[in-house]
Amino acid sequence: MGPSFDEGTSLYNFVVRDGNGVKGMVDSGLTTVPAAYTQPPRERIDKESARKHEQQPIDLSRLDGPEHDEVAVEIVRAAETLGFFQVINHGVPVDLLESLKDTANKFFGLPPEQKAVYRSEVSPTPLVKYGTSFVPEKEKALEWKDYISLQYVNDAEALQHWPIEIRDVALEYLRTSIKMVRKLLEVLMVNLGMKLVDPKIDALIDKKMVNMNFYPTCPNPDLTVGVGRHSDMGTLTVLLQDGIGGLYVKIEEDMRYGKKGEWVEIPPTPGALVINVGDMLQVLSNKRYKSAEHRVRTTNTTSRVSIPIFTIPKLTEKIAPLPHLVEKDGIAHYREFMFVDYMKNFFGNAHEGKKSLDFANNVDSS
């Protein structure tokens, strides 16, 4: 007889504490969405009303030739408007991307006890965490997602501590992606008036984290979310989608792809990676760049994986709007803070749109 998911405590214990995750719940023969996963109507994703974002991917191979300036303008425009864009010819082998998706699916198909050894309470290393939802103990409604998070310090520690089933392909994904991230960040920071040799550029992507997210099939996707509304806390995020889709981004200002407040879907493009601006770039740019609010829908047809790389500043890095931009704007929209304090606040609360940025607000700018 399978576990009962009618009572909140037993569900929480089975899914979260015992490490079975949402997949374990679905594999037990679940046919309805438990109350703990039923989102309030305002948080549900209306697939029919969201249009697809039809902007063509940016060809990054053109950055190294005579069209560099033209491509740089495209990158900056995307960061200033939606905060999301797709890239092709990015330097990450397409066969590696396919291998990543296969590896993620295989990992989440392992027996629960093999994944549960990496739960934060028992993981043999602080570099690896297996979990479900985002902050289950703080959430009013849980997210329909399991994940494994891999923190990167150096190659040797990754090879020693990351799960052997996903270690090599995840490390190669990080190695090949970080060159692209550095190029993109250079374009965005030079546009803000920073010099290429500025050590701040490297400090902004000092720490890296690879996540593998797994969204099992859901009996009723209209009632749930895979990931709730949020913006990313770091500098830049690289995201590999599979071919199923389900990533939605909120438009912050009227643009030709939609009106302010509308949601657009970022459709999967074969061989492409999705790039999005994080909160730290919005702060540094004094609101010029947009750390877009986004969320993920579930599906009832097949499970889905996504694999992001989060690049974040050094924990001790002081973050504030660049002084010359404050002088130009006549106002600092954000106060100075240490990144580690921002990160603690981010992970200490449930997803709630861009509320995490309130931590950085300058009270004098209202």
Side-chain angles (χ1 to χ4, degrees):
M1 181 178 175
S4 169
F5 298 118
D6 295 330
E7 200 268 310
T9 304
S10 64
L11 178 143
Y12 186 89
N13 289 344
F14 179 84
V15 174
V16 179
R17 190 198 65 188
D18 299 339
N20 289 287
V22 179
K23 186 177 189 300
M25 185 171 62
V26 171
D27 287 349
S28 73
L30 188 78
T31 57
T32 59
V33 173
Y37 287 89
T38 301
Q39 297 288 329
R42 62 185 174 83
E43 298 296 343
R44 298 173 191 174
I45 301 173
D46 184 358
K47 184 179 181 181
E48 303 308 317
S49 68
R51 71 180 74 187
K52 291 192 185 297
H53 185 53
E54 295 175 357
Q55 182 177 344
Q56 291 299 307
I58 297 173
D59 184 349
L60 291 188
S61 67
R62 296 163 58 217
L63 261 183
D64 298 322
E67 296 177 281
H68 174 277
D69 292 351
E70 182 183 331
V71 179
V73 168
E74 291 179 34
I75 293 167
V76 167
R77 186 187 303 124
E80 290 178 337
T81 52
L82 191 62
F84 265 77
F85 53 99
Q86 297 196 69
V87 294
I88 55 172
N89 295 324
H90 36 62
V92 184
V94 173
D95 58 347
L96 174 61
L97 300 182
E98 293 306 311
S99 179
L100 266 167
K101 290 182 276 191
D102 291 342
T103 300
N105 276 304
K106 287 176 183 173
F107 177 81
F108 287 101
L110 292 173
E113 57 273 15
Q114 285 185 243
K115 296 173 288 187
V117 295
Y118 293 107
R119 286 189 303 114
S120 58
E121 299 86 350
V122 297
S123 180
T125 169
L127 301 183
V128 182
K129 178 186 175 185
Y130 169 75
T132 189
S133 198
F134 180 60
V135 189
E137 62 275 13
K138 295 277 186 81
E139 292 165 342
K140 295 175 182 175
L142 298 172
E143 299 176 348
W144 199 268
K145 175 192 75 173
D146 300 330
Y147 68 89
I148 187 149
S149 178
L150 311 171
Q151 288 191 47
Y152 177 82
V153 177
N154 55 51
D155 284 9
E157 293 213 22
L159 290 169
Q160 181 179 351
H161 296 294
W162 288 7
I164 192 169
E165 298 89 352
I166 56 179
R167 178 188 68 194
D168 295 340
V169 69
L171 191 54
E172 188 61 23
Y173 176 44
L174 180 60
R175 283 175 182 151
T176 50
S177 295
I178 207 64
K179 298 173 188 174
M180 167 192 62
V181 170
R182 186 64 163 74
K183 280 185 179 181
L184 292 170
L185 189 57
E186 286 176 355
V187 167
L188 293 170
M189 298 311 285
V190 166
N191 177 66
L192 297 179
M194 189 175 277
K195 290 183 169 55
L196 277 180
V197 293
D198 196 312
K200 183 101 178 163
I201 293 180
D202 285 319
L204 289 174
I205 53 173
D206 179 74
K207 294 183 72 64
K208 298 99 179 168
M209 188 162 58
V210 182
N211 274 26
M212 289 184 173
N213 299 324
F214 185 77
Y215 307 95
T217 53
C218 177
N220 190 342
D222 292 337
L223 298 179
T224 60
V225 296
V227 180
R229 299 179 297 112
H230 72 288
S231 56
D232 290 349
M233 68 168 180
T235 303
L236 283 173
T237 300
V238 179
L239 176 71
L240 171 62
Q241 296 196 80
D242 62 15
I244 297 161
L247 173 63
Y248 293 82
V249 180
K250 190 175 185 179
I251 298 173
E252 288 209 6
E253 295 178 358
D254 288 355
M255 53 192 296
R256 64 191 179 100
Y257 297 109
K259 296 186 181 300
K260 180 178 179 178
E262 291 182 344
W263 291 86
V264 292
E265 183 178 6
I266 307 294
T269 301
L273 289 167
V274 178
I275 308 295
N276 69 275
V277 172
D279 291 348
M280 295 307 101
L281 280 186
Q282 178 161 325
V283 171
L284 286 159
S285 68
N286 211 29
K287 285 192 173 180
R288 282 166 174 76
Y289 297 147
K290 305 294 190 298
S291 63
E293 186 175 336
H294 54 288
R295 57 188 181 175
V296 174
R297 182 177 160 85
T298 59
T299 172
N300 60 3
T301 53
T302 183
S303 57
R304 174 180 179 265
V305 294
S306 68
I307 307 163
I309 295 173
F310 300 103
T311 62
I312 63 176
K314 286 195 297 187
L315 296 183
T316 56
E317 189 71 11
K318 290 183 177 178
I319 306 292
L322 297 174
H324 63 276
L325 298 181
V326 173
E327 184 178 352
K328 183 177 181 180
D329 297 343
I331 190 170
H333 292 292
Y334 304 102
R335 64 180 177 86
E336 184 181 77
F337 54 88
M338 197 174 290
F339 177 70
V340 66
D341 296 325
Y342 190 93
M343 185 172 75
K344 286 177 182 175
N345 178 72
F346 183 86
F347 284 115
N349 295 284
H351 283 146
E352 193 176 345
K354 293 184 69 170
K355 194 172 182 182
S356 55
L357 266 169
D358 290 351
F359 177 86
N361 280 347
N362 186 347
V363 292
D364 297 327
S365 71
S366 55

